Amino acid sequence: MRIHIGCEMSFDFPQETPLIAMLNVHYSRASDLERPDFLTSNPPVPIESYRDSFGNWCNRLVAPPGRFTFGTDAVIRDPGTFEMGDLMAWQHEVRDLPSETLLFLLPSRYCESDVLASEAWRLFGHTPLGIPRVQAVCDFVHNHIIFNYGNARPTRTAAEAYREQSGVCRDFAHLAVAFCRALNIPTRYCTGYISDIGLPKPWSDMDFAAWMEVYLGGRWHAFDPRNNAPRIGRILIASGRDAADVPLTHIFGPGTLAGFKVWTEEVIEQASAQQY
């Protein structure tokens, strides 16, 4: 399957404003792109690209005063099948974990696994280790939080989402990440595209999404406590400890969001007419 993906953001800036944009497909999917998904801007400005400490691709630029628009556009190849979980993936003892995963056992800005540790063990300490335990966390978070765009705020933490029982996809992910870390399962926060391909219409407007990956059975596995169901066309952009590590944009000054569009849709192939 070929999927058309991309985004466009517009801001109104009162002055020259430095910003960092993290909007490119993750390097683990780069070979699936039909062409590089370069960031472009209007008006054009110099863009400097680099990798952050987690390996995510970042773009650094300075926006001029006034209306400034930037985004990406690409076609990516995808298996086109619903995600399949590995039910046999085992949970590692902490002493056996690779050193590079240990960071994802620790509390972070939005995932206070230390604060939620006693609740995590009370709620899930009786569940089987590994995939069943992670799924129990996702089932609980999916039912505990009510999705509410109008009640979203960028500073809500996992513990606050647990108490308030309201939020958006990042809040679902933060709470599930915090619970899993408290249960000694390395877990990282992910952001990217999730399509509605294969689901009944009508589809809602596209947006970026947040989910998580857990380290079990020697590799990372994706889990989505917000949707809590397999999807077609989950495309990673970035991963880190929580949303503080992987903001779509980090703006160093005042600015007003004036427009925001995301697209992820199947490219329908046109059959070639036969020549006789």
Side-chain angles (χ1 to χ4, degrees):
M1 175 182 290
R2 300 168 69 232
I3 302 176
H4 182 207
I5 57 172
C7 65
E8 182 180 275
M9 298 183 185
S10 295
F11 288 86
D12 290 326
F13 292 116
Q15 60 195 36
E16 280 197 340
T17 305
L19 65 88
I20 299 170
M22 195 178 296
L23 299 170
N24 298 97
V25 169
H26 193 259
Y27 69 83
S28 62
R29 295 294 305 270
S31 63
D32 295 325
L33 290 167
E34 294 190 355
R35 54 179 170 79
D37 59 336
F38 293 123
L39 186 78
T40 59
S41 70
N42 183 25
V45 298
I47 298 175
E48 176 186 344
S49 299
Y50 67 95
R51 293 200 185 279
D52 67 9
S53 58
F54 298 98
N56 304 309
W57 194 247
C58 307
N59 295 283
R60 182 180 180 184
L61 52 103
V62 177
R67 178 65 54 88
F68 183 67
T69 300
F70 57 94
T72 65
D73 186 70
V75 173
I76 191 168
R77 295 181 294 274
D78 190 82
T81 56
F82 283 99
E83 299 160 320
M84 296 291 291
D86 181 1
L87 299 179
M88 303 304 292
W90 70 93
Q91 183 170 332
H92 298 259
E93 295 285 348
V94 173
R95 63 176 176 265
D96 297 327
L97 285 166
S99 297
E100 63 270 17
T101 68
L102 297 179
L103 173 66
F104 299 104
L105 289 177
L106 305 179
S108 59
R109 166 70 176 85
Y110 292 111
C111 299
E112 318 102 298
S113 51
D114 50 350
V115 174
L116 291 166
S118 60
E119 277 297 274
W121 285 102
R122 182 183 71 83
L123 291 167
F124 311 110
H126 64 284
T127 59
L129 296 175
I131 293 290
R133 179 164 289 185
V134 176
Q135 188 58 59
V137 169
C138 289
D139 292 343
F140 175 85
V141 172
H142 179 76
N143 293 313
H144 185 76
I145 295 180
I146 298 172
F147 188 87
N148 187 338
Y149 263 128
N151 194 31
R153 69 174 185 272
T155 58
R156 180 182 283 125
T157 69
E160 290 170 339
Y162 181 55
R163 291 195 301 269
E164 297 170 18
Q165 300 183 43
S166 178
V168 292
C169 59
R170 62 175 266 160
D171 301 304
F172 286 78
H174 281 153
L175 181 54
V177 167
F179 277 147
C180 287
R181 289 181 187 167
L183 297 165
N184 297 330
I185 302 170
T187 312
R188 59 192 184 190
Y189 176 94
C190 301
T191 184
Y193 298 94
I194 296 181
S195 80
D196 288 329
I197 296 169
L199 300 181
K201 293 184 177 182
W203 296 341
S204 58
D205 292 338
M206 285 290 102
D207 196 354
F208 288 112
W211 62 92
M212 68 180 188
E213 291 179 347
V214 299
Y215 190 83
L216 296 170
R219 68 179 183 88
W220 294 97
H221 303 258
F223 280 83
D224 183 354
R226 159 69 177 98
N227 296 293
N228 206 28
R231 303 297 283 260
I232 294 173
R234 185 186 303 275
I235 301 166
L236 181 66
I237 288 178
S239 65
R241 293 167 297 183
D242 57 34
D245 289 331
V246 292
L248 298 173
T249 58
H250 193 140
I251 298 172
F252 299 89
T256 302
L257 181 65
F260 180 83
K261 293 189 294 183
V262 177
W263 50 92
T264 171
E265 55 197 7
E266 182 181 1
V267 177
I268 305 300
E269 306 290 350
Q270 299 294 326
S272 299
Q274 292 187 353
Q275 300 295 323
Y276 296 96

